[in-house]
Amino acid sequence: MTAPSPPLPPPGQAVRTTCPYCGVGCGVLATPDGQGGLHIAGDLDHPANRGMLCVKGMALGETVGTEGRLLAPRIGGREADWDEALSLVAERFSQAIERHGPESVAFYVSGQMLTEDYYVANKLMKGFIGSANIDTNSRLCMASSVAGHRRAFGSDTVPGLYEDLELADLVVLVGSNLAWCHPVLYRRLAAAKEARPEMRIVVVDPRRTATCDLADLHLAVAPGSDAVLFNRLLAEIHRRGATDPDYLSHVEGFDAALAAAKLADGAATGLSEADLGRFLDLWIGTERTVTLWSQGVNQSDSGTDKVNAILNCHLATGRIGRPGMGPFSVTGQPNAMGGREVGGLANMLACHLEIENPAHREAVRAFWNAPRIAERPGLKAVDLFHAVEDGRIKALWIICTNPAVSMPEADRVARAIGACEFSVVSDLFATTDTARLAHVLLPATGWGERDGTVTNSERRISRQRAALSAPGRARHDWRILAEVGSRMGWPEPFGWQTAAEVFREHAALSGVAGRLGGDFDISDLERIEGADYDALDPFLWPRAGARQGGRFFGDGRFHTSDGRARMIPVAPKLPAGGAFRLNTGRVRDHWHTMTRTGRSPRLGRHLAEPFIEIHPADAARLGLKPDTLAEVGNTHGRAILRVLVTARVQPDQPFAPIHWTGETAPSGRIGALVEAATDPVSGQPANKSAVVSIRPFPAHWYGFALSDGELRPSCPYWARATLPLGTQAELAGTEMPADWNAFARDLFGLAVEPVVACDPARGLIRMAFLQDSRLKAALFAGPDPVALQRAHVATLLGAVSDPGLLAGRPGAGRADEGATVCACLGIGVNTIARAIAERGLITVEALGAALGAGTNCGSCRPELRSLIQLHSARCEAAE
Ligand SMILES: Nc1nc2c(c(=O)[nH]1)N[C@H]1C(S)=C(S)[C@@H](COP(=O)(O)OP(=O)(O)OC[C@H]3O[C@@H](n4cnc5c(=O)[nH]c(N)nc54)[C@H](O)[C@@H]3O)O[C@H]1N2
Ligand SMILES: Nc1nc2c(c(=O)[nH]1)N[C@H]1C(S)=C(S)[C@@H](COP(=O)(O)OP(=O)(O)OC[C@H]3O[C@@H](n4cnc5c(=O)[nH]c(N)nc54)[C@H](O)[C@@H]3O)O[C@H]1N2
Ligand code: SF4
Ligand SMILES: [Mo]
């Protein structure tokens, strides 16, 4: 049943595939090592990355394999065979539909599914079940960009290409931490600026991120004020006579948009007149301008307006769809774009067609030869889980996403899933916070095993190909969905045998859309043979025809009823001040809920526990000391986070990363703190602004533990990370354990006696568990945050016990690395700082030549640059 197509390669032969993480969509060469693992390299021939990979891509080999995988279906916790599981799912969905109608069931899917998977899910729900209750985690991610594009262009079209970033004279990054979230695109931008130093880069972000490192100007705007900034820009474009009258003949709504823009009060951005003026001069004075944005724009209760405020400026100046200029929404997930192409959102049909349009509905229904078609938009993510909570949804199927962590009001969402009459989860793991709540678990094949297509941020479709066989009884997501569709009574429409057949049908449907005037048309592939599909090279859509070079809208033709674009009047909505507004986002080396990146020791080295960045003035006022713990809470939830005091964030605007879960740090789940407020147009939640209160967590002790086996912490705070030969954990509690020996035995599940070193005067406990004089486990604890060279101690696991072990420091003559900066080569901050200060290495290249740092994947290059700035400045000051 799960025979992959094409056949798997022999060991040693590379498979060309695509990275499963961010929307850059880098080409990867994956070479099976013959033992279930993969060697990874960048694909020199892939146009997105030309051989480069970031650290997450480089570490892909550490995240595959069968360890910890869900290998067979489970029903109510017991293993079941596929036949039983699929029949049960089909029966319970059919039963709910029969008794309560098609709106009583829902799918919640993901921008990390392949296009083929997504296509099948959408066809089953919208065409055959006849409801549009299929929504996706793209609602939390791209929905405001989709809505903004549709309002302005009449279609959800990204006009530009990656090369526009390289061709531009000005790149404005709005609410995007490109250096960490789209690292290869960032490196392309950095290389372009190096080649043409006159190129200018502006970062608009309340926080000083690693991306600012490349910026000529960082605008630390007041949170949520982006629309004010772009309204101010539009008014100034007009005042200076910088509009493009020819282009404006293709645009409706200029006057109304301008009238709204003129009301903008630049002061609301919180920027100085000088900075604001510099930005206006740069933007208005530079024709080749790309404005790129991401979640700082989308994840807002006025995200769609922010998007349109940006689009208005590009439309007014005609800077769109030509080389080196245009608005550019970069997508987060590897197939966010493919999901939009198949119509995976509850308010879209397929191939960018509109659910509200009867002609579109009928065309899709007829193509599918479906008994019915969803008549109106379905429930968007937040509303969908509310409907699960109040029992309107009787059967729920969650595929390739972890909403019990990633949804706003995550505790509430988890309770709703747990209480649903019938819930199904398809995942790689049984242990995710969401999977643990489901009645039925279905084992899916993951990256490296699955086979299909994805579309990146610049509309480039690439193949993901299998290099490993499916573990256990895991099956491809599309096939699982098709089997359920067949069993629900539609064997013929769901009877595909290969992913290529699904792709052909999708391509053919896009031709129907194209004939209705749609932008997405790849119908020249509707008859692609299996072998050609297997060999398909990455390609851009549109593939041919009038849209030369793959850009849209340079010609002023849009997909609206009259072919003209729309400028939208935007009245900025500003958040109320006063409270702490918790900003949330990503770190360099982890992916979302860490179900895969959490398995890689290399990726755990950079940042190993949940934290909160807080401004020094706030920290002083709250009595929060560096490295202690803070308790962050509101009516929705509560979290305990490590305190990182830094002026990178503004006062009252702390930041916390989103990656930790019940599996890795149960008190670090940030989604639990975010209120489910949504944008009125797109339904996207405002994930960047949780109103919280903060206070010191009353820890009486802190600990650090490592083990070559299991770690079973039971204290109020713990955070776990994977080591090359085991696991480490940060620990803390409000009451000192009465018996440390008993505590350690429970923690490690070990019966052997530890070697103990205590320092009663300072209340320090140090324990090592040895076997054949090799270190099996160790615990360090005391009343203050544990000061210890963690990277060093981790190397001692499994080694013959080192005399320096219980001191927690390297022995004489061994350098102390400090926190890891270059994860690929394991080079720490102290080594780098010393090289800068003592050896006068003041370029990233010099550090690379001397230490190797930054020479592998390059993800740490922005941090290397900051360290150079910091330490060379210190040297100068000391001179
Ligand atoms: N390493 C890594 N890379 C990833 C991911 C990952 O999990 N890990 N996930 C991928 C996915 S799905 C996505 S969607 C992308 C997200 O990519 P990004 O959007 O670049 O990342 P975020 O960290 O979510 O947020 C970006 C920035 O928005 C800023 N911000 C907050 N509020 C505002 C505001 O009001 N205005 C402005 N202008 N900025 C604001 C934050 O300070 C933050 O630095 O990353 C993708 N790439
Ligand atoms: N507060 C806050 N919340 C946020 C955000 C934020 O910035 N702040 N960002 C939001 C954004 S932009 C996004 S995209 C979401 C991401 O949030 P999620 O989608 O919930 O996060 P992931 O960890 O990517 O979840 C993917 C799941 O799919 C599983 N999986 C991986 N591969 C496969 C496969 O091939 N098949 C199947 N069936 N399963 C697979 C993984 O094990 C994992 O459980 O989070 C959102 N939530
Ligand atoms: S930039 Fe990194 S995470 Fe994104 S696709 Fe490329 S290798 Fe993967
Ligand atoms: Mo995302």
Short mmCIF file of all heavy atoms in Angstrom, two decimals, residues 19-26 28 49 52-58 181-185 591, ligand 3:
data_model
loop_
_atom_site.label_atom_id
_atom_site.label_comp_id
_atom_site.label_asym_id
_atom_site.label_seq_id
_atom_site.Cartn_x
_atom_site.Cartn_y
_atom_site.Cartn_z
N CYS A 19 13.80 21.24 1.35
CA CYS A 19 13.79 21.36 2.82
C CYS A 19 12.35 21.47 3.34
O CYS A 19 11.53 22.16 2.74
CB CYS A 19 14.61 22.58 3.23
SG CYS A 19 14.59 22.88 5.01
N PRO A 20 12.03 20.80 4.45
CA PRO A 20 10.66 20.83 4.96
C PRO A 20 10.41 21.98 5.94
O PRO A 20 9.36 22.02 6.58
CB PRO A 20 10.57 19.52 5.73
CG PRO A 20 11.94 19.36 6.30
CD PRO A 20 12.89 19.91 5.26
N TYR A 21 11.36 22.87 6.10
CA TYR A 21 11.11 23.95 7.06
C TYR A 21 10.60 25.19 6.35
O TYR A 21 9.51 25.17 5.82
CB TYR A 21 12.34 24.21 7.94
CG TYR A 21 12.73 23.00 8.78
CD1 TYR A 21 14.00 22.45 8.69
CD2 TYR A 21 11.82 22.42 9.65
CE1 TYR A 21 14.36 21.35 9.46
CE2 TYR A 21 12.17 21.31 10.42
CZ TYR A 21 13.45 20.78 10.32
OH TYR A 21 13.80 19.70 11.08
N CYS A 22 11.40 26.24 6.26
CA CYS A 22 10.75 27.52 5.95
C CYS A 22 10.40 27.71 4.49
O CYS A 22 10.80 26.93 3.61
CB CYS A 22 11.60 28.68 6.47
SG CYS A 22 12.92 29.17 5.37
N GLY A 23 9.68 28.78 4.22
CA GLY A 23 9.15 29.07 2.89
C GLY A 23 10.19 29.46 1.85
O GLY A 23 9.85 29.66 0.70
N VAL A 24 11.48 29.57 2.24
CA VAL A 24 12.50 29.82 1.21
C VAL A 24 12.48 28.65 0.22
O VAL A 24 12.62 28.84 -0.97
CB VAL A 24 13.91 29.99 1.84
CG1 VAL A 24 14.95 30.21 0.74
CG2 VAL A 24 13.93 31.16 2.81
N GLY A 25 12.30 27.44 0.75
CA GLY A 25 12.16 26.27 -0.13
C GLY A 25 13.47 25.83 -0.76
O GLY A 25 13.58 25.65 -1.97
N CYS A 26 14.48 25.64 0.08
CA CYS A 26 15.81 25.30 -0.44
C CYS A 26 15.87 23.87 -0.97
O CYS A 26 15.31 22.94 -0.37
CB CYS A 26 16.84 25.43 0.67
SG CYS A 26 17.02 27.12 1.26
N VAL A 28 17.65 20.38 -1.43
CA VAL A 28 18.50 19.58 -0.55
C VAL A 28 18.91 18.32 -1.29
O VAL A 28 18.09 17.71 -1.99
CB VAL A 28 17.71 19.19 0.73
CG1 VAL A 28 18.48 18.21 1.60
CG2 VAL A 28 17.33 20.43 1.54
N ASN A 49 18.31 28.39 -3.46
CA ASN A 49 19.43 28.44 -2.51
C ASN A 49 20.81 28.24 -3.13
O ASN A 49 21.81 28.51 -2.48
CB ASN A 49 19.23 27.41 -1.40
CG ASN A 49 19.09 25.98 -1.91
OD1 ASN A 49 18.38 25.72 -2.86
ND2 ASN A 49 19.77 25.06 -1.25
N MET A 52 23.27 26.68 -0.84
CA MET A 52 23.33 27.07 0.58
C MET A 52 22.23 26.36 1.38
O MET A 52 21.16 26.10 0.86
CB MET A 52 23.09 28.58 0.72
CG MET A 52 24.21 29.44 0.23
SD MET A 52 23.81 31.20 0.45
CE MET A 52 22.85 31.54 -1.02
N LEU A 53 22.50 26.13 2.65
CA LEU A 53 21.46 25.67 3.58
C LEU A 53 21.71 26.38 4.90
O LEU A 53 22.86 26.70 5.23
CB LEU A 53 21.53 24.16 3.83
CG LEU A 53 21.18 23.22 2.68
CD1 LEU A 53 21.37 21.77 3.14
CD2 LEU A 53 19.75 23.42 2.21
N CYS A 54 20.66 26.61 5.69
CA CYS A 54 20.88 27.16 7.03
C CYS A 54 21.09 25.99 7.99
O CYS A 54 21.06 24.82 7.60
CB CYS A 54 19.71 28.04 7.46
SG CYS A 54 18.27 27.11 7.99
N VAL A 55 21.27 26.32 9.25
CA VAL A 55 21.60 25.27 10.21
C VAL A 55 20.48 24.24 10.37
O VAL A 55 20.74 23.05 10.53
CB VAL A 55 22.02 25.90 11.57
CG1 VAL A 55 20.88 26.64 12.23
CG2 VAL A 55 22.60 24.87 12.51
N LYS A 56 19.23 24.68 10.24
CA LYS A 56 18.13 23.71 10.36
C LYS A 56 18.16 22.73 9.19
O LYS A 56 17.96 21.54 9.37
CB LYS A 56 16.76 24.42 10.41
CG LYS A 56 16.57 25.27 11.66
CD LYS A 56 15.19 25.89 11.74
CE LYS A 56 14.87 26.84 10.61
NZ LYS A 56 15.78 28.00 10.46
N GLY A 57 18.41 23.25 8.01
CA GLY A 57 18.51 22.38 6.85
C GLY A 57 19.69 21.43 6.98
O GLY A 57 19.57 20.22 6.73
N MET A 58 20.82 21.96 7.42
CA MET A 58 22.03 21.13 7.56
C MET A 58 21.80 19.99 8.56
O MET A 58 22.40 18.93 8.43
CB MET A 58 23.21 21.97 8.07
CG MET A 58 23.73 23.00 7.10
SD MET A 58 24.35 22.33 5.57
CE MET A 58 25.86 21.61 6.04
N CYS A 181 14.64 33.55 10.32
CA CYS A 181 13.45 32.84 9.87
C CYS A 181 13.49 32.48 8.39
O CYS A 181 12.80 31.55 7.98
CB CYS A 181 12.21 33.64 10.20
SG CYS A 181 11.99 33.79 11.98
N HIS A 182 14.26 33.20 7.61
CA HIS A 182 14.45 32.86 6.19
C HIS A 182 15.93 33.03 5.90
O HIS A 182 16.34 33.87 5.09
CB HIS A 182 13.60 33.79 5.31
CG HIS A 182 12.12 33.66 5.55
ND1 HIS A 182 11.44 34.40 6.48
CD2 HIS A 182 11.20 32.83 4.99
CE1 HIS A 182 10.15 34.04 6.48
NE2 HIS A 182 9.98 33.09 5.60
N PRO A 183 16.76 32.23 6.59
CA PRO A 183 18.20 32.51 6.63
C PRO A 183 18.88 32.50 5.26
O PRO A 183 19.79 33.31 5.04
CB PRO A 183 18.76 31.39 7.51
CG PRO A 183 17.61 30.88 8.28
CD PRO A 183 16.40 31.07 7.42
N VAL A 184 18.44 31.65 4.35
CA VAL A 184 19.14 31.60 3.07
C VAL A 184 18.77 32.82 2.21
O VAL A 184 19.62 33.39 1.53
CB VAL A 184 18.87 30.26 2.35
CG1 VAL A 184 19.30 30.32 0.89
CG2 VAL A 184 19.61 29.14 3.09
N LEU A 185 17.54 33.27 2.33
CA LEU A 185 17.15 34.50 1.64
C LEU A 185 17.94 35.68 2.21
O LEU A 185 18.38 36.57 1.49
CB LEU A 185 15.64 34.71 1.84
CG LEU A 185 14.90 35.52 0.79
CD1 LEU A 185 15.20 35.04 -0.62
CD2 LEU A 185 13.39 35.41 1.06
N TRP A 591 12.22 24.91 15.14
CA TRP A 591 11.06 24.99 14.26
C TRP A 591 9.82 24.76 15.11
O TRP A 591 9.66 23.68 15.68
CB TRP A 591 11.16 23.94 13.14
CG TRP A 591 9.99 23.94 12.23
CD1 TRP A 591 8.90 23.10 12.26
CD2 TRP A 591 9.74 24.87 11.15
NE1 TRP A 591 8.02 23.45 11.27
CE2 TRP A 591 8.50 24.53 10.58
CE3 TRP A 591 10.46 25.96 10.63
CZ2 TRP A 591 7.95 25.23 9.51
CZ3 TRP A 591 9.91 26.65 9.57
CH2 TRP A 591 8.67 26.28 9.02
S1 SF4 B 3 16.51 28.67 4.76
FE1 SF4 B 3 16.98 26.92 6.06
S2 SF4 B 3 15.01 26.25 6.90
FE2 SF4 B 3 14.57 27.60 5.16
S3 SF4 B 3 14.31 26.18 3.45
FE3 SF4 B 3 16.46 26.87 3.45
S4 SF4 B 3 17.58 25.31 4.63
FE4 SF4 B 3 15.39 25.04 5.05
#
